[in-house]
Amino acid sequence: MIKVEHLSKHFGKIKAVDDISFEVKEHENLILLGTSGCGKTTTLKMINRLIEPTHGKIFIDDKNIQEQPPEILRRGIGYVLQNNGLFPHYTVAENIAVVPQLLKWDKKRIERRVSELLEKLHLSPDCLHVYPAELSGGQQQRVGLARALVADPAVLLMDEPFGALDNVTRSKIHAEFNALDELKRKTIIMVTHDVQEAFELGNHICLMDKGKIIQDGTPAELLFNPANDFVCDFLNEQRLQLEFKTIKLNDIWQWLPLLQKENKAKSLSADTDLWSGLEQFKFTLSETIAIHHGNSETKSASFEQLMAAFYHYKKQQAHE
Amino acid sequence: MNEQQTLFDFMRQQSDKLAAQTLQHIGLTFISLFLAVLIGLPLGILITRQRKLSGPVLGVAGVLQTIPSIALLGFMIPVLGIGAKPAIVALLLYALLPIIRNTFTGITGVDPAVKEAAVAMGMSRWQVLFKVELPLAMPVIFAGIRTATVITVGVATLASYIAAGGLGEFIFGGISLNNTNMILAGAIPAALLAILFDFLLSRLQKLNIQKLKTTTATLPLFLLLFSSFYFIPSAYGGKLTAGFTPEFMGRQDGNLGLQSKYKLKIHTIVISDAVMYKAAYENQLDVISGYSTDGRLEAYNLVVLKDDKGIFPPYYAAPVVRDDALKKFPELESTLNVLSGKINDSVMTALNYRTDYLHQSPEKVAKDFLIKISLWKPARNGNMGIVRIGSKIFGEQYILASMYSMLIKGYTDYDVATKTGLGGTKICFDALTNNQIDFYPEYTGTGLLAILKPSSKTIDSLTLSKDKTYNYVQREFKKIYNIKWLKPIGFNNAYALMMRKKQANDLNIKTISNLKRYLESK
């Protein structure tokens, strides 16, 4: 869907982005992860031509973006900024309607689409005619997302979209983000420096440093097959939590005991990650939880059994 | 309380003029402002796009701002002449800086994230400018326009110096005539205008952004409407245009006399003495008020119209001397009288021309003239006491003081101390009565109107005749001040109406009555 080839951006002598290439498949969530100044935002902004590359090419749907007028290109790409970048002199409705206005949609269609999005993003219709300054940070970020989604672009670029939010609001929005059907149809490239966020929202991560991509892979690959010490160190601080979140119950299936007796508790899907599995014990009084694998097999596990299975899995990974 | 009353009376009496001047003032302010916005706004936007230009552009606008307003008006005259044009250009140059600077600051101050969002949404450069940058910068730009308005209302008072009208006519007329009510009748409305416009624009600035959209659209209309005010009072015209100094406008022996005695009706603009002669020379004015021996009369090829009804009192020059000085220096009177009758109007004009226009030193002009009429004698370097000569602060008086100095040194054994440049009549005369100087050249009209100030009846009975005036001031000065008027030098430096020689000849106008007849003919 999106192909980046030998992309470089030099600011004077500084190589902000240094000959990187990667590919994003359709409906994939690519996370550009890295510390400040690693070139991830520059890379992102070259995709909608806010920054023009020094070398290299970018293709979206096999079309070279350099060959399209930038305004037209940008109208087909959603863009969410860290500090939302809402127009302070436009109401929420007007803010969301910016791109449809530029695309000259008729009024009815715009109205319909705006109220549809408000509902999906859990914004009250009262918000429509207020100015962004009157909204909370979380609401502003939702409006920013609505503005990016309104024309239903195939590609969505997000520059640290949740960076300015507090932790509580952020995890709430993360959950909504993962649940939002509109986003499942999009190819998303998101920039973040937050490892947790990257692992929670992404299914493809490029870890960048000093303008280069250090490792390009799935969260599990980064976690269990780090390309070098840099990747390892980058993830180390939150390793345990990341592992819990990355490993699915499916992955440790073979070490889980078969269902002993009928468990009344709601059974979990094997697609669930280990972290959510462990969290179940906060809500249930029973000693074990049931897990079903498709329709065929059901297993149950106690907290200790889950941890033991995780330990086995890790040991096996280390031997591979 | 009494003064308040008379101010009110004055304003009521002059309500026509006051209304016309106020409209002119508003018009002048807003034409300049409108043009300043028209130039300043795009320029401000341009320098946000071409940052390299911002330094030079803001620098030049800043330098313009620091030029004293009267000087800026002066610079305009050689280029654009007099009247509304140069005034508007000067005013707009003043208004430019706040508008350019605030446009620049306003636009560069827009949150970069908002600008980036606008670009990323797919807006073109113009859409970003008009939909995002300008609306968000508008409060700052308005603040700039507001500053510019207040500056312009203030500086526009000076426009009357170059005949552009406005409330400055009353202010500067009042200052020349020492008429407090007249000053206030101009100054108070000018101040009120500044306060009013500042208030209105401050209200605009406080409107929320939404309403600002409509306001922004209506602003140019308002500017244009106010601008058109300028043309209301000047809608009437005439065959000839007169330019009179503010002082002349308010004097009985000036424009008021022209209106009452001659019933002269002429399209009149008020202008400062400094540019009046040149404006007449350059065909921008046809009739001007001046002094009959002014050197510029010759320089600019002008001719004096004969005052056939005698409204301008004679201003014959003669030395006025303290009685005790005449006793102390017995030879003084006869020496000073050597010059009596030697200089007529045209000779004095020619001499003034050499100092005022050719910038020769008064000493050289005086010596050349004395040699020419064979009165010059080398100094005797005597030491029989020192005669103190005073003079007022203009060329003619310097020349006369130099001549007297040379005559005293050449004809007597007295030495001379000159105290030239003693400001106006009051300073000179006070110096004389307080025994700071022994004599100075004075004019009969000034002695009558500025020093003795008799009743208007007495004045009317005297001013027609040069001799009656002279005899009256001589008698009264002797009686009141113990000061003697010696014999007149010969020339009459009175107020006069003047025209270009060629035009006066073509139209066959020799007297003020001729002028009136011409104006009334179809």
Side-chain angles (χ1 to χ4, degrees):
Chain A
M1 173 87 194
I2 301 174
K3 210 168 7 162
V4 171
E5 288 178 355
H6 301 292
L7 193 66
S8 294
K9 177 67 192 179
H10 302 170
F11 295 108
K13 281 188 179 162
I14 299 159
K15 293 177 175 175
V17 174
D18 190 7
D19 192 28
I20 62 169
S21 303
F22 61 87
E23 205 171 321
V24 192
K25 293 194 195 69
E26 199 166 0
H27 301 173
E28 203 173 39
N29 269 12
L30 171 76
I31 310 285
L32 295 174
L33 179 65
T35 50
S36 308
C38 71
K40 56 193 193 300
T41 298
T42 309
T43 306
L44 186 81
K45 287 182 179 175
M46 284 193 276
I47 295 170
N48 64 356
R49 294 185 63 183
L50 287 177
I51 296 175
E52 297 291 353
T54 314
H55 302 293
K57 284 178 186 154
I58 299 171
F59 297 91
I60 297 179
D61 275 339
D62 294 325
K63 272 183 278 181
N64 186 344
I65 62 164
Q66 291 298 328
E67 284 159 14
Q68 301 168 50
E71 287 85 16
I72 305 300
L73 171 79
R74 289 174 193 141
R75 286 171 204 176
I77 300 177
Y79 187 61
V80 183
L81 294 83
Q82 173 171 15
N83 292 312
N84 71 61
L86 294 176
F87 301 154
H89 58 308
Y90 278 21
T91 61
V92 166
E94 288 169 327
N95 259 296
I96 299 176
V98 169
V99 180
Q101 293 275 3
L102 294 174
L103 295 171
K104 301 201 166 63
W105 287 13
D106 67 64
K107 230 176 138 188
K108 280 262 168 57
R109 186 175 166 203
I110 296 178
E111 272 174 30
R112 225 172 25 238
R113 177 65 178 146
V114 169
S115 48
E116 180 191 11
L117 273 173
L118 279 189
E119 204 185 311
K120 282 185 182 171
L121 290 165
H122 309 287
L123 286 163
S124 116
D126 300 338
C127 291
L128 272 182
H129 301 292
V130 302
Y131 288 91
E134 300 164 59
L135 300 178
S136 70
Q139 286 172 316
Q140 287 177 2
Q141 208 52 46
R142 287 191 180 99
V143 175
L145 189 56
R147 180 174 66 175
L149 291 174
V150 65
D152 203 12
V155 177
L156 190 61
L157 305 180
M158 306 178 90
D159 185 8
E160 308 231 6
F162 312 119
L165 301 177
D166 62 89
N167 285 335
V168 178
T169 315
R170 182 160 44 200
S171 53
K172 216 170 126 194
I173 291 196
H174 280 171
E176 288 172 21
F177 184 88
N178 274 331
L180 199 64
D181 61 339
E182 298 243 356
L183 291 175
K184 301 212 162 87
R185 308 197 299 262
K186 309 252 172 271
T187 306
I188 299 173
I189 300 181
M190 183 192 292
V191 162
T192 185
H193 61 264
D194 180 342
V195 181
Q196 289 287 344
E197 187 168 82
F199 277 69
E200 241 169 85
L201 304 181
N203 45 28
H204 179 174
I205 295 176
C206 283
L207 178 62
M208 292 184 69
D209 185 49
K210 293 179 187 145
K212 288 190 179 292
I213 293 179
I214 306 299
Q215 189 169 3
D216 175 357
T218 63
E221 281 168 348
L222 261 73
L223 203 52
F224 301 117
N225 290 312
N228 55 25
D229 289 348
F230 177 83
V231 182
C232 209
D233 291 346
F234 198 85
L235 305 178
N236 250 355
E237 207 170 304
Q238 306 169 70
R239 178 167 291 278
L240 186 63
Q241 197 184 1
L242 292 177
E243 288 180 350
F244 283 160
K245 285 187 175 172
T246 311
I247 295 169
K248 304 270 188 275
L249 294 177
N250 215 6
D251 300 326
I252 55 172
W253 190 253
Q254 53 176 303
W255 295 287
L256 293 178
L258 277 166
L259 185 66
Q260 317 273 301
K261 53 182 182 198
E262 200 57 37
N263 193 319
K264 296 245 167 63
K266 203 180 81 187
S267 73
L268 284 174
S269 152
D271 283 341
T272 317
D273 61 64
L274 180 57
W275 177 263
S276 309
L278 293 171
E279 267 189 330
Q280 287 300 312
F281 292 99
K282 286 199 302 196
F283 309 120
T284 173
L285 291 173
S286 73
E287 298 255 305
T288 59
I289 53 167
I291 305 154
H292 62 88
H293 191 283
N295 289 327
S296 54
E297 213 179 353
T298 307
K299 288 192 172 184
S300 81
S302 66
F303 188 88
E304 291 76 15
Q305 285 166 329
L306 279 176
M307 289 303 285
F310 167 71
Y311 186 68
H312 281 296
Y313 176 79
K314 284 278 291 177
K315 224 158 77 178
Q316 188 198 37
Q317 288 283 326
H319 287 300
E320 268 173 15
Chain B
M1 207 54 216
N2 198 14
E3 189 153 344
Q4 291 284 327
Q5 191 57 41
T6 50
L7 170 63
F8 185 68
D9 285 346
F10 180 86
M11 287 171 110
R12 205 170 41 190
Q13 267 171 28
Q14 304 272 345
S15 60
D16 283 0
K17 246 188 188 171
L18 186 62
Q21 289 184 10
T22 308
L23 288 179
Q24 273 185 336
H25 204 91
I26 296 174
L28 213 51
T29 302
F30 283 93
I31 293 175
S32 317
L33 210 55
F34 181 69
L35 294 175
V37 172
L38 225 55
I39 297 171
L41 202 61
L43 211 53
I45 294 168
L46 176 77
I47 60 175
T48 62
R49 299 294 189 261
Q50 308 281 332
R51 290 293 170 94
K52 273 186 207 153
L53 290 178
S54 69
V57 168
L58 289 173
V60 169
V63 167
L64 287 174
Q65 193 81 24
T66 58
I67 300 175
S69 27
I70 192 77
L72 190 60
L73 287 168
F75 286 142
M76 290 297 136
I77 296 166
V79 190
L80 294 166
I82 57 155
K85 241 189 294 171
I88 288 169
V89 173
L91 289 178
L92 95 83
L93 289 180
Y94 266 102
L96 225 43
L97 178 66
I99 295 176
I100 298 177
R101 195 172 43 200
N102 282 42
T103 305
F104 180 72
T105 317
I107 289 182
T108 48
V110 172
D111 183 357
V114 172
K115 247 186 270 187
E116 187 184 279
V119 175
M121 294 300 115
M123 287 190 180
S124 67
R125 288 172 55 171
W126 289 106
Q127 283 167 330
V128 173
L129 177 65
F130 284 106
K131 288 178 184 245
V132 179
E133 289 180 306
L134 278 182
L136 289 177
M138 217 25 106
V140 184
I141 297 176
F142 261 129
I145 296 179
R146 190 174 151 198
T147 313
T149 310
V150 176
I151 292 176
T152 313
V153 170
V155 180
T157 54
L158 294 174
S160 67
Y161 267 131
I162 51 170
L167 288 162
E169 286 187 11
F170 270 156
I171 299 176
F172 295 108
I175 291 173
S176 306
L177 296 168
N178 196 18
N179 180 341
T180 313
N181 286 329
M182 199 175 193
I183 299 175
L184 291 179
I188 291 174
L192 288 179
L193 281 183
I195 294 169
L196 176 74
F197 290 132
D198 188 50
F199 172 74
L200 289 179
L201 285 167
S202 77
R203 294 296 297 269
L204 276 186
Q205 225 182 316
K206 286 198 189 102
L207 287 180
N208 68 32
I209 296 167
Q210 196 69 24
K211 284 189 191 143
L212 216 52
K213 285 179 197 165
T214 32
T215 328
T216 311
T218 48
L219 189 73
L221 290 179
F222 273 111
L223 285 178
L224 276 179
L225 178 73
F226 281 133
S227 300
S228 64
F229 282 6
Y230 186 76
F231 301 100
I232 299 171
S234 51
Y236 64 88
K239 283 189 216 167
L240 298 178
T241 304
F244 294 154
T245 60
E247 185 181 354
F248 186 83
M249 288 297 286
R251 284 178 77 132
Q252 191 55 44
D253 58 328
N255 193 38
L256 299 179
L258 280 179
Q259 285 173 354
S260 61
K261 295 254 174 70
Y262 282 99
K263 309 265 181 271
L264 186 75
K265 286 199 184 73
I266 184 164
H267 172 60
T268 306
I269 55 181
V270 178
I271 186 168
S272 108
D273 161 73
V275 296
M276 184 172 66
Y277 292 92
K278 188 146 193 273
Y281 175 69
E282 287 168 349
N283 293 340
Q284 296 178 18
L285 296 172
D286 302 303
V287 181
I288 59 171
S289 66
Y291 298 99
S292 52
T293 59
D294 196 300
R296 289 168 291 190
L297 201 59
E298 182 152 312
Y300 293 122
N301 226 345
L302 304 174
V303 64
V304 172
L305 301 186
K306 194 167 181 308
D307 175 21
D308 50 338
K309 289 194 179 168
I311 61 159
F312 303 132
Y315 279 70
Y316 282 91
V320 287
V321 200
R322 294 176 59 83
D323 274 348
D324 51 4
L326 290 176
K327 288 195 191 92
K328 189 173 162 196
F329 308 109
E331 291 171 58
L332 184 60
E333 182 165 356
S334 59
T335 310
L336 297 184
N337 279 339
V338 166
L339 207 56
S340 155
K342 291 290 191 300
I343 305 177
N344 64 19
D345 287 7
S346 57
V347 172
M348 195 65 236
T349 308
L351 296 179
N352 282 337
Y353 171 70
R354 291 176 57 180
T355 52
D356 294 348
Y357 199 75
L358 303 178
H359 304 297
Q360 297 176 353
S361 78
E363 290 78 18
K364 180 176 170 12
V365 174
K367 189 175 172 184
D368 287 354
F369 175 73
L370 289 180
I371 290 171
K372 196 175 139 204
I373 60 168
S374 314
L375 287 178
W376 193 78
K377 287 185 184 174
R380 292 199 214 162
N381 296 323
N383 55 359
M384 300 280 286
I386 297 172
V387 181
R388 297 161 302 170
I389 309 177
S391 91
K392 299 185 196 177
I393 190 161
F394 54 89
E396 181 170 294
Q397 290 258 328
Y398 286 127
I399 298 175
L400 292 175
S402 295
M403 287 185 188
Y404 283 130
S405 163
M406 287 168 195
L407 289 176
I408 292 168
K409 284 181 187 165
Y411 283 71
T412 71
D413 284 322
Y414 308 134
D415 199 7
V416 171
T418 48
K419 295 189 175 179
T420 50
L422 291 175
T425 303
K426 183 163 167 40
I427 297 171
C428 238
F429 187 70
D430 285 351
L432 188 66
T433 52
N434 291 316
N435 200 11
Q436 299 293 309
I437 55 176
D438 294 313
F439 78 96
Y440 74 94
E442 186 52 283
Y443 306 88
T444 54
T446 313
L448 180 70
L449 297 171
I451 297 172
L452 294 173
K453 296 182 187 161
S455 69
S456 58
K457 218 178 209 170
T458 318
I459 295 175
D460 280 352
S461 71
L462 293 173
T463 50
L464 273 181
S465 153
K466 133 188 189 198
D467 293 336
K468 272 190 193 164
T469 311
Y470 178 76
N471 291 337
Y472 180 81
V473 293
Q474 195 182 39
R475 197 172 62 237
E476 294 296 314
F477 267 61
K478 184 95 194 164
K479 204 162 70 189
I480 304 172
Y481 304 112
N482 283 323
I483 287 170
K484 185 168 185 188
W485 282 76
L486 301 188
K487 290 185 193 162
I489 303 167
F491 67 90
N492 176 13
N493 186 5
Y495 265 137
L497 288 194
M498 339 180 153
M499 295 179 70
R500 281 182 303 285
K501 252 180 206 155
K502 185 169 182 312
Q503 189 184 34
N505 284 339
D506 291 350
L507 300 175
N508 200 18
I509 296 173
K510 291 198 172 59
T511 65
I512 299 177
S513 295
N514 288 162
L515 174 65
K516 176 182 187 285
R517 215 167 304 131
Y518 170 74
L519 287 169
E520 283 170 2
S521 64
K522 287 282 155 98

